[in-house]
Each structure stands twice: as C-alpha cells, then as structure tokens.
Amino acid sequence: MPKLSSVSGEKKFVNDSASETPSESDGHTAAQAPVQIWKNFLDLLSDSLKASEINTWFSVIEPKSLEGNVLTVSVPSEDFYSLIESRYNKVIASIVETLLGPDGKLKYEIMQMGLFDSRTEPERTERPVILPISARSRFSENHPMPDTSSPEEFETNINQKHLFDNFIKGESNELAIAAAYAITNNPGHTYNPFFVYGGVGLGKTHLIQAIGNEILKKYPSKKVYYTTAPDFTTQFTNNIAQSRLDFSANKNGTKKLDFFYKSLDVLIIDDIQYLSGKEKTQDFMYQIFNSLYDQKKHIIFSSDKPVSQIKGIEERLISRFQWGITADIQPPNWEMRVAIIQKKFEEAKIEAPEEVVHYIASNVKDSIRTIEGCIVGIIADSVLRFKSEINLGIAENVISRVIGTVRKSRNVSIENIIYTVANYYRISENQILSRKRTKEVAFARQVAMYLAKDLTNLTLETIGLNFGGKDHATVLYAYNSISAAAKKDGAVMLQIEEIKEMLRNL
C-alpha cells in the first residue's frame, strides 16, 4: 500500500478501499499494538501541547499498523498532513524516537488529495443549478423555498462564483479550508457538523458556498441548499402563517417546510448568530438538525463569533454546533492581503504597480470585503478620472475615502513603524518597501526593520514579508547593523529614540 512517510517526505495517496487491515491470523495482539502505541503517543503529546491543539489536529488521526519500528497512521487529507508536519514535526519526531527507538518512523496514509494538488480524473458532468429569481442570491426578497418535485427544479441558492479555486489560502484560514475541502470528499461523515466563524468580510460565506459547489461537482445528485439564518427564520414564520390560513396542512405550511429541509443531503446556514432570541425557530432548527445528523447528512454553519459567545440560543442547540469541528478565519496577514489584492486586479484584467498593491495591503488590514471595495474604487477612479492609469496617489485618495485617515492606530505595528520611519527621514513608505539601494533609503529601511524586531513579537520571517518579501537573513542583518551603529554613534541612537517617541504618540 502506498504511504506518505514523514521521514522521507515521499508523498503517496491511498483509497479507503485499499486500506490494509490485519488478517485474523495476525491475532488480537497485532491488531491492538498500533492502537496502544498511538494511545501512548497522545499521552506523551499532552506534555508538550494543549488539549485543544491535540483535539483539533490529532483526534482524527487513526492508527493503522505497526511493522517493526514503523507506525502507520491515517490522516484525512494532504492539507491536514501538511499542517501537522509544518507545525508539530519536531515534537512528533521526539515522541516517535521515545516510543519506537532512534530508528523509529511514523508513516502516513493520505486518504484524500489536497485542495491545491493537480487532479487527473475525468471531468464530471455537473447537475444544472437553478438559482432563485430576482438577484439570484441569498438576498431574494421573497425568500423562496425551492420546489423539490424534480432535481432539475431544485434551487441550491448557492452563488456559483464562490469556489475553492478563487479562495485565497493562508495562515489565517488554513484549518478552515483544509477541513472544508475534506468535507467535500466524504460529505455526511467527515467533520459533521462544520462550524466556521470569523469577523465581517473575511470570507466565511465564500468558503461555505465553495463547499456546496464542490460537493455538487463531485456528487451531482445530492441536494445541497444554502440559506441564511434570517431567511430561514422568515421561511419558518411565513409558513406558520400559511398553515393557519390553509387547513390542508399536510401539503402546506410548516409540514411542507419540514419535509423539504429533512430531504436535503447538505444544509448550509450562514450567520447563525441571528437565531438569537427566536425560540420557535430554534426549536424547528433543532428538529431539522437531529433528523439530518441521524441520516448522516451534512450540516454547515457560519457565525461572526465563536459558539461559546453566541447569546440567546438554547444550550441544546449550542451543544450540537460543537459536535463536529469548529474552525475560525482570522484577518489576513500582510502576505495574504498582497495575494488577495493581486488576485482581484488579475480578475479585473488590470496590471497594478507593486507600490499600489503594497500600499493597499499595508493600510486595509481587517476585512477582505473592504479590500475589495477599495480595489473597485481605485479601478473606477482610474477609468473615470485618470484615463485608466493606476498610481499611488489614486490609491491614497480612495483608501482615505473608504476607511478615513490612515495610521491612527495606537498599537505598535509594522505598518505604523514604516509610516513613522518614512516621515522621520522624509522619504515615502513605498521607497522603504521598494528594492532601492540608495544610502538614505537603505539606512531608513534597516532602521524600520530594527524597530520591527525590537518593538514587536513577530518572527524574522513575518517581518521580512511585511517589507516586500525580504527573507529572515536580511532582517537579522539589518537589526545587527543598526544595533552596532547605535552603540558606536550617538546620533544614530538619538534618531532611534526620537522615532520611538513618535510611535508612542501615534
């Protein structure tokens, strides 16, 4: 059986049907040995990691076999494996050596391909997806309930533009997207239910709809339906009113709605926090959840906050949200913001200068939606006022209109450091982020890197990324150079102290 070895780095995939199981002749001891070794592994792991980390990353790993000093385990996907190896390789290696000796090895069976691996399987025939009338989005004014009389008329309510292919992957969403893609390979079983949360405009809606679109691509016959908690509530209350007016309740009203939801294969509900305080709707949701879960149908929720922070929702429903896996989406870091901005300009078929991309990334930090709004504004200004030219001045004006005057944060951030250093030495921020090597610019850039390392807890790699993709060695060299210069030259020391004072007064 092909396996993926954490030692050799060889990457191979297996199918569920090809999984090895001990034969009866292997005996009870052989079958139990890998289970016991893995139990011991988790016990030792608890000395180094928090229980929450172990539950998130290691609870879904299954021991498969033990051959000599080689323990083989199964992980859900290539993305999951990559995350474990990048985060916990050292502690894993140490425990394996303790349990299996210096030549011990841990091998992985990768049960599913990664999200961004190339695929060679033939194209699948997609089932037609008919979206609701009017805006054909989740904001349909009449909150239509799809007709389930035939597959061709089933309305998924999913925006077909929301795909994994155009969802930017980064550190801020790596667990969420790895779990999301694993779900599409085994809906109803892997990570059910799936609960994802994060702030406004970070891509939750895109991600959960991408799950739906991918499942429809792989399993065209499945009924996948997307709605929002407000629309779900409206459907429920409207059908209560209808059932009171229509005495043929077996065909109309809440019974019809109940039948529709319980007939789904995948239910995706956005903004679940809006069920707060709606007791009757919550009770209806509770019944739907139980029915779908018992039938091994998949349930996917999103919220703007963690489950534990949602107020006004019954405890029995909260507990069910927590049955599967919970993942968060954090605001994107600088590198990811740059990737998003470049992607958006590419989609618009516009070539934006690097200085504009970096300026947007440095100033619009909290929301992908706000980034998109700024890009739309920049493109509009360039077309309507500046003969399609895009430059730093346009970007500055648009961002000021969208988010107000920038650089008002009191937190010491790399963005504030770059801004302050640029003002102090009377050069532009773009020059600091550029590749210019003139004496004045290079010195200011080194001072900014020095302050970033001195005043923040960020790694050298992260600091380098925020300076236009510099590597950690460049940052370390800058730090050591300025440290030495400050010790030898009182003027340099004075400059650094003055800049620090300016940062304190931001």
Side-chain angles (χ1 to χ4, degrees), residues 374-392:
C374 288
I375 292 173
V376 169
I378 289 169
I379 293 173
D381 266 25
S382 70
V383 171
L384 299 175
R385 300 174 59 196
F386 298 97
K387 299 181 180 179
S388 298
E389 176 190 3
I390 290 182
N391 56 46
L392 190 59

Side-chain angles (χ1 to χ4, degrees), residues 172-187:
S172 63
N173 59 27
E174 57 183 353
L175 172 59
I177 197 171
Y181 190 71
I183 288 168
T184 68
N185 286 292
N186 196 15

Side-chain angles (χ1 to χ4, degrees), residues 206 305 428 434 490:
H206 185 147
K305 55 178 70 69
S428 70
S434 72

Side-chain angles (χ1 to χ4, degrees), residues 128-184:
V129 178
I130 302 176
L131 299 178
I133 301 174
S134 74
R136 295 188 180 275
S137 72
R138 65 192 181 100
F139 298 106
S140 176
E141 293 181 357
N142 297 319
H143 309 280
M145 186 180 69
D147 185 352
T148 61
S149 58
S150 65
E152 289 74 19
E153 295 179 1
F154 181 81
E155 297 172 344
T156 70
N157 232 17
I158 296 175
N159 186 334
Q160 291 176 287
K161 294 182 179 180
H162 288 159
L163 306 171
F164 284 124
D165 290 342
N166 55 17
F167 189 87
I168 304 297
K169 180 181 179 182
E171 291 182 3
S172 63
N173 59 27
E174 57 183 353
L175 172 59
I177 197 171
Y181 190 71
I183 288 168
T184 68

Side-chain angles (χ1 to χ4, degrees), residues 39 62-63 80-81 99 139 165 202 217 221 259 298 363 390 400 454 460 491 494:
K39 182 179 182 299
E62 297 181 2
F80 206 93
Y81 160 77
L99 293 175
F139 298 106
D165 290 342
L202 297 182
K217 179 181 177 182
S221 63
F259 173 80
H298 220 104
N363 288 282
I390 290 182
S400 294
D454 189 49
L460 296 176
L494 178 62

Side-chain angles (χ1 to χ4, degrees), residues 107-147:
K107 287 190 175 182
Y108 297 85
E109 287 181 0
I110 304 300
M111 304 313 295
Q112 299 157 2
M113 293 185 69
L115 173 57
F116 298 102
D117 293 317
S118 60
R119 294 172 177 74
T120 57
E121 72 266 25
E123 290 292 326
R124 298 177 184 265
T125 301
E126 295 189 21
R127 176 166 63 86
V129 178
I130 302 176
L131 299 178
I133 301 174
S134 74
R136 295 188 180 275
S137 72
R138 65 192 181 100
F139 298 106
S140 176
E141 293 181 357
N142 297 319
H143 309 280
M145 186 180 69
D147 185 352

Side-chain angles (χ1 to χ4, degrees), residues 57-72:
W57 296 104
F58 295 90
S59 63
V60 297
I61 298 177
E62 297 181 2
K64 304 295 288 187
S65 64
L66 178 65
E67 299 176 6
N69 60 355
V70 178
L71 175 65
T72 299

